[in-house]
Amino acid sequence: MKIGLALSGGGARGISHLGVLKALEEFGVQIDCISGTSTGALIGALYSYGLSPEKILETFINTRIFTSLRPAWTWTGLANVNGLQEVLLKVMPENNFQSLKIPVTIVATNLKKGRPEYFTSGELVVPLLASCCVPVLFSPINIDGEVYVDGGIMDNLPADCIRRECDLVIGSSCNHVSSEFDVKNFRSVIERSLMIAISGNTVISKHLCDVLIEPPELGKVSAFDLSDPRRLFDIGYAFAKTNYDKHSFEISK
């Protein structure tokens, strides 16, 4: 049986995927391929490169991987991703898909063509950067003359791209939209609006997953809140261990 894992984008919330991965390992689930958007793409690539969930968490904390984005103030965005690129090249110096132990598909949105595109070969780090480029916040990434932004705009839970090659698809989504919301400031309104929009493009993707892991508690956490990465890890781990077991990932005929 071939098992695929789709990891959603979601900013800081995506750290919860690491807890889910740890739980899957403890259940004895063998992942054969991974697809990911934004933070999900980062985690999928690092995990496929050979880093354990705990090691990836340690890397995020020690290298300040999410705060390595440097101000740019260009017309295309408020920041660039040069800092993130430097960190990723240190962790994965081979910088190609061929160096990954598990096949990975990275999703980015082609801004000119208005469609998601899926990267599976060649250079690794640049597509990862493109997948993480939230419009307005970060400058777009140029790949072979095309301009790319965050893959979550079009496909935030990329289950469809691995559905046909897998007998079972597990979806790890970190964007539960809580019904509790207070208008605190302009940023909170922007973030809430983005989460609602992204949630809309995952409806079909969720139905394509045989197992969907989506911790409701994450709906209370800001996608920009990096104050406690360990808590986010623990939320994913606790939810997976409490609500699933090894039999949850078997195909019932």
Side-chain angles (χ1 to χ4, degrees):
M1 180 174 72
K2 187 171 183 179
I3 298 177
L5 176 65
L7 302 172
S8 78
R13 293 177 177 182
I15 295 173
S16 64
H17 295 319
L18 295 172
V20 171
L21 277 167
K22 180 180 179 181
L24 291 176
E25 286 185 346
E26 292 180 358
F27 290 141
V29 177
Q30 178 67 49
I31 303 300
D32 298 294
C33 66
I34 298 174
S35 60
T37 296
S38 195
T39 307
L42 281 178
I43 287 173
L46 291 168
Y47 185 73
S48 298
Y49 190 73
L51 278 68
S52 69
E54 288 281 1
K55 183 62 177 178
I56 297 172
L57 177 64
E58 179 184 323
T59 300
F60 281 3
I61 295 172
N62 293 341
T63 63
R64 298 170 64 82
I65 198 166
F66 284 112
T67 55
S68 58
L69 303 170
R70 298 173 179 170
W73 299 102
T74 66
W75 70 272
T76 53
L78 300 181
N80 63 41
V81 290
N82 290 344
L84 178 57
Q85 183 174 25
E86 292 174 7
V87 171
L88 291 176
L89 287 174
K90 287 180 180 179
V91 178
M92 300 183 292
E94 287 87 351
N95 189 23
N96 58 67
F97 280 87
Q98 289 68 32
S99 66
L100 302 179
K101 297 175 175 62
I102 302 172
V104 172
T105 299
I106 295 170
V107 188
T109 298
N110 187 314
L111 195 58
K112 181 178 179 180
K113 297 179 180 178
R115 69 187 187 197
E117 293 188 7
Y118 303 87
F119 296 85
T120 59
S121 62
E123 186 177 2
L124 175 63
V125 170
V126 171
L128 279 175
L129 299 178
S131 188
C132 295
C133 279
V134 180
V136 180
L137 295 182
F138 305 118
S139 297
I141 294 293
N142 188 295
I143 302 177
D144 297 330
E146 299 288 347
V147 178
Y148 294 89
V149 293
D150 195 328
I153 300 301
M154 297 295 293
D155 190 359
N156 198 51
L157 183 62
D160 186 52
C161 61
I162 59 173
R163 177 68 272 183
R164 290 185 180 180
E165 62 182 287
C166 297
D167 301 298
L168 184 140
V169 173
I170 303 167
S172 181
S173 174
C174 59
N175 293 309
H176 176 79
V177 179
S178 171
S179 59
E180 301 176 12
F181 175 70
D182 294 322
V183 180
K184 298 177 181 179
N185 50 45
F186 180 70
R187 194 186 78 171
S188 69
V189 174
I190 293 296
E191 181 183 353
R192 176 72 171 183
S193 301
L194 183 60
M195 288 300 103
I196 291 173
I198 285 176
S199 179
N201 79 40
T202 63
V203 174
I204 294 177
S205 297
K206 289 178 180 179
H207 286 294
L208 292 175
C209 296
D210 299 289
V211 181
L212 179 66
I213 303 174
E214 187 176 49
E217 190 175 350
L218 292 172
K220 303 174 184 177
V221 181
S222 168
F224 302 105
D225 185 359
L226 293 163
S227 61
D228 194 354
R230 169 60 68 176
R231 175 180 172 239
L232 295 168
F233 180 103
D234 290 342
I235 288 174
Y237 177 75
F239 183 80
K241 291 290 284 188
T242 301
N243 294 278
Y244 305 88
D245 58 34
K246 63 179 182 180
H247 302 295
S248 303
F249 307 98
E250 298 172 352
I251 295 179
S252 56
K253 296 292 184 179

